[in-house]
Amino acid sequence: MRLVLIGPPGAGKGTQAQRLVEFLCVPHLSTGEMLREAIDKGTPVGTQAKQFIDAGKLVPDETVLELVQQRIVQPDCASGYLLDGFPRSLPQATALDKFLTGRSQPLDGVFELEVDKDAVIQRMIARGRGDDKPEVIRQRMATYEEQTKPLSEYYAGRKLLHAIDAMGTVDEVFSRLRQAVEQMKSR
Ligand code: AMP
């Protein structure tokens, strides 16, 4: 299955993605991880990406698209994958659609984690990652609302969207995700 997981910063996306890929036995394609890896290695992509990540902004579409397209064509993605944190903007979503349609491998479903914003901000402050400073968190939230939120409507229109209540324990949220996967399979 070719799946996408989206959700605001701090919604527990990474944790749920981990559980989901173990459950489905598919590779985990996280653009955030790919970018952090590029930064650690000091590649040109990493150097460019760092300024955007540190400012709580989106890395340019072409950069992440390139990373994702290179990854999706690898043999381990042949029977499916979970995209975590990509697409994050309408141009990314339409480019992904075009790329996958060209390969006759359209997406099977998109899960959107839904949370209470205030609770999420508390969670993120507790996590303490480099880009989790309060002012960066605020910027990442604003970026999400402006650029990523419109994807709900886009994917709902394509009958691919599954909204998941992401408030609760990791186990509770994962069980909702699993139910949505089962429902999708039975269709
Ligand atoms: P994440 O680990 O998914 O929270 O991503 C961390 C940061 O990496 C984000 O705040 C963005 O700056 C950048 N990033 C990750 N995925 C994307 C994407 N699909 N498009 C643009 N920027 C991204």
Side-chain angles (χ1 to χ4, degrees):
M1 276 201 278
R2 289 174 293 274
L3 303 170
V4 167
L5 184 64
I6 54 178
K13 212 162 30 79
T15 309
Q16 294 299 333
Q18 203 58 53
R19 297 279 297 262
L20 205 51
V21 296
E22 276 166 29
F23 176 67
L24 295 167
C25 296
V26 292
H28 178 192
L29 276 47
S30 156
T31 43
E33 283 301 326
M34 291 178 201
L35 293 166
R36 282 188 287 277
E37 222 169 80
I39 293 173
D40 289 345
K41 285 191 186 148
T43 68
V45 165
T47 310
Q48 183 213 29
K50 190 172 179 345
Q51 325 161 34
F52 293 97
I53 294 177
D54 287 349
K57 303 228 165 104
L58 291 188
V59 173
D61 292 334
E62 311 77 64
T63 307
V64 278
L65 253 170
E66 184 69 29
L67 288 175
V68 167
Q69 290 181 349
Q70 282 172 8
R71 186 65 187 87
I72 280 179
V73 297
Q74 300 299 312
D76 64 329
C77 291
S79 55
Y81 45 79
L82 176 69
L83 279 167
D84 162 10
F86 179 92
R88 250 182 165 98
S89 68
L90 277 176
Q92 289 179 18
T94 51
L96 177 68
D97 267 354
K98 206 168 148 208
F99 180 70
L100 295 180
T101 306
R103 296 170 55 81
S104 303
Q105 293 183 334
L107 291 175
D108 295 299
V110 175
F111 302 113
E112 184 189 20
L113 299 180
E114 294 187 323
V115 290
D116 162 18
K117 256 195 202 165
D118 292 337
V120 153
I121 291 174
Q122 288 312 313
R123 246 194 236 179
M124 291 175 80
I125 290 168
R127 185 168 70 177
R129 203 168 73 188
D131 52 353
D132 281 351
K133 297 183 194 83
E135 66 279 13
V136 182
I137 294 176
R138 263 193 295 279
Q139 179 57 52
R140 287 171 68 202
M141 280 292 180
T143 302
Y144 185 82
E145 289 298 324
E146 271 167 37
Q147 302 193 57
T148 311
K149 193 63 197 150
L151 295 185
S152 315
E153 207 175 309
Y154 176 80
Y155 285 124
R158 278 165 180 65
K159 307 268 182 282
L160 288 172
L161 189 74
H162 302 262
I164 308 289
D165 173 9
M167 298 308 293
T169 65
V170 171
D171 284 342
E172 281 163 356
V173 177
F174 182 65
S175 110
R176 292 174 200 138
L177 265 171
R178 214 177 41 205
Q179 268 171 21
V181 170
E182 304 293 355
Q183 237 176 43
M184 230 175 65
K185 278 186 182 166
S186 66
R187 255 193 233 148

